[in-house]
Amino acid sequence: MSVVALLLVLSAAIAHAIWNIVAHGASRSGIPFLWWGSVFATVLWVGVIPFTGGFGTGDFAGFTLGILVSAVLHVCYMLVLQRGYARGELSTVYATARGSGPLLTVCVAILILGEQPSWLALSGVGLVLLGVVAFGIIGWRPAIPARLGGSRAKASEHAAGIGDGRGGEDGRTHAKRWSRMIDPAIGYGLLTGAAIAAYTIWDAYAVNTLSIAPVAFMVGCTAAEIPFFTAALLRRGRTGAAGLGVELRTNWRRLLVFGIFSPLSYILVLTAVTMAPLSLVAPMREVSVVLVGLYGAWRFRESRPVLRILAALVVVAGVLLIGL
């Protein structure tokens, strides 16, 4: 990977970590935060388009198709990610998503797109993914099954919002008993990872094959997301409209940071994809997991900080191999 592409991806990782930390802090806001986030991102970046290659060299039909498909995929990603942040530890959701997403992307890039990275680079990819997944495993805390009995199990059920209020397992299916053993952060992380792989592959196709300029592509996507989030707000009636006002008053600083760094992180990645193989760029951007994971361990006193640091060092070693 070239030095320029490497620096672009590492800068993207920093920007991505910043906006994810901000999004976690406002995760309980849900759709109002996402609606304003799309508006802020569109308004803040639309003026940059003329200075960054315009709309690209592709035709209007390709541009429209590219942003509409990507917008749908990004909306799915955002909704699942926000839900995961509201249900589990920051670093567990984030690390699981960022580990499974690039793994799927690398497989598609090699097996379907025909990319052929060197064995040294692939070794680095393996270390990056190993370190990322390690973050998820380190933070995993399975729920306590009800059959263990006692007030501890009942309290755990009550906190998770499960159970029928009577205790015991009468009337519950085997599937429901197993569901209590699964950390919801892991499940949402895996769903988010699938969405990441889908939009990463499509967006690489949009900038490389459809010839859409990265900044124009990102602005088009954020603008196209607004109708989806608007529809979700309309389903809430007056509550949704009131939520927008409250969100703007209480979280405008976070929205400003989100509006700057969320598009920036992906613009840098899309630019790097035009210079380096997708199979290397996709896992390299997961350096952000190191930053978010260590922040979560420090800020929220999440579990096992020493092991998280060791996992971070594994990721760093992988990055060095990819960059050679």
Side-chain angles (χ1 to χ4, degrees):
M1 181 182 290
S2 69
V3 175
V4 174
L6 180 64
L7 292 176
L8 284 172
V9 180
L10 292 178
S11 298
I14 295 173
H16 201 278
I18 291 173
W19 84 254
N20 268 269
I21 290 170
V22 171
H24 177 263
S27 61
R28 294 186 181 278
S29 302
I31 299 298
F33 181 86
L34 295 176
W35 190 91
W36 278 116
S38 296
V39 171
F40 269 64
T42 302
V43 172
L44 290 171
W45 282 94
V46 68
V48 183
I49 292 177
F51 308 100
T52 53
F55 292 96
T57 58
D59 56 25
F60 179 75
F63 178 82
T64 303
L65 175 65
I67 63 173
L68 287 179
V69 173
S70 184
V72 172
L73 296 175
H74 277 267
V75 167
C76 294
Y77 159 69
M78 286 286 194
L79 292 176
V80 177
L81 180 65
Q82 287 284 312
R83 182 63 175 171
Y85 280 167
R87 293 288 304 276
E89 280 191 343
L90 166 64
S91 57
T92 302
V93 175
Y94 190 77
T96 305
R98 305 315 302 187
S100 57
L103 177 59
L104 292 171
T105 304
V106 170
C107 291
V108 171
I110 294 175
L111 298 177
I112 298 179
L113 302 183
E115 294 186 358
Q116 297 179 337
S118 68
W119 285 106
L120 187 63
L122 283 177
S123 299
V125 168
L127 286 178
V128 169
L129 295 179
L130 177 63
V132 168
V133 172
F135 266 107
I137 295 174
I138 289 168
W140 179 46
R141 295 183 301 183
I144 302 171
R147 60 188 173 88
L148 292 180
S151 59
R152 185 183 179 192
K154 293 180 181 179
S156 179
E157 283 190 351
H158 177 72
I162 58 178
D164 58 6
R166 297 188 301 272
E169 295 187 29
D170 294 339
R172 297 194 181 106
T173 65
H174 181 71
K176 288 184 178 180
R177 290 199 300 270
W178 272 103
S179 69
R180 289 197 297 271
M181 295 292 293
I182 301 174
D183 184 350
I186 299 292
Y188 280 109
L190 292 174
L191 288 174
T192 305
I196 290 171
Y199 77 64
T200 299
I201 294 167
W202 174 260
D203 294 354
Y205 171 80
V207 297
N208 284 323
T209 304
L210 300 181
S211 301
I212 306 174
V215 174
F217 179 74
M218 194 69 253
V219 171
C221 289
T222 56
E225 290 169 3
I226 296 175
F228 291 98
F229 295 135
T230 300
L233 286 172
L234 290 175
R235 293 178 60 185
R236 302 182 179 184
R238 294 182 178 179
T239 303
L244 285 177
V246 173
E247 184 67 25
L248 182 61
R249 289 193 301 271
T250 58
N251 277 329
W252 67 268
R253 292 180 181 86
R254 286 175 173 171
L255 288 165
L256 182 61
V257 174
F258 179 91
I260 295 173
F261 286 97
S262 178
L264 175 62
S265 66
Y266 208 51
I267 288 169
L268 295 173
V269 167
L270 291 175
T271 305
V273 164
T274 65
M275 304 177 182
L278 178 62
S279 56
L280 299 184
V281 173
M284 269 285 292
R285 64 188 294 227
E286 307 316 323
V287 173
S288 57
V289 172
V290 176
L291 304 176
V292 173
L294 295 179
Y295 174 83
W298 169 73
R299 178 65 176 83
F300 303 111
R301 300 187 182 278
E302 292 180 352
S303 57
R304 303 169 183 172
V306 175
L307 291 179
R308 294 178 192 270
I309 292 174
L310 292 176
L313 294 176
V314 172
V315 173
V316 171
V319 169
L320 294 176
L321 287 178
I322 294 175
L324 291 178

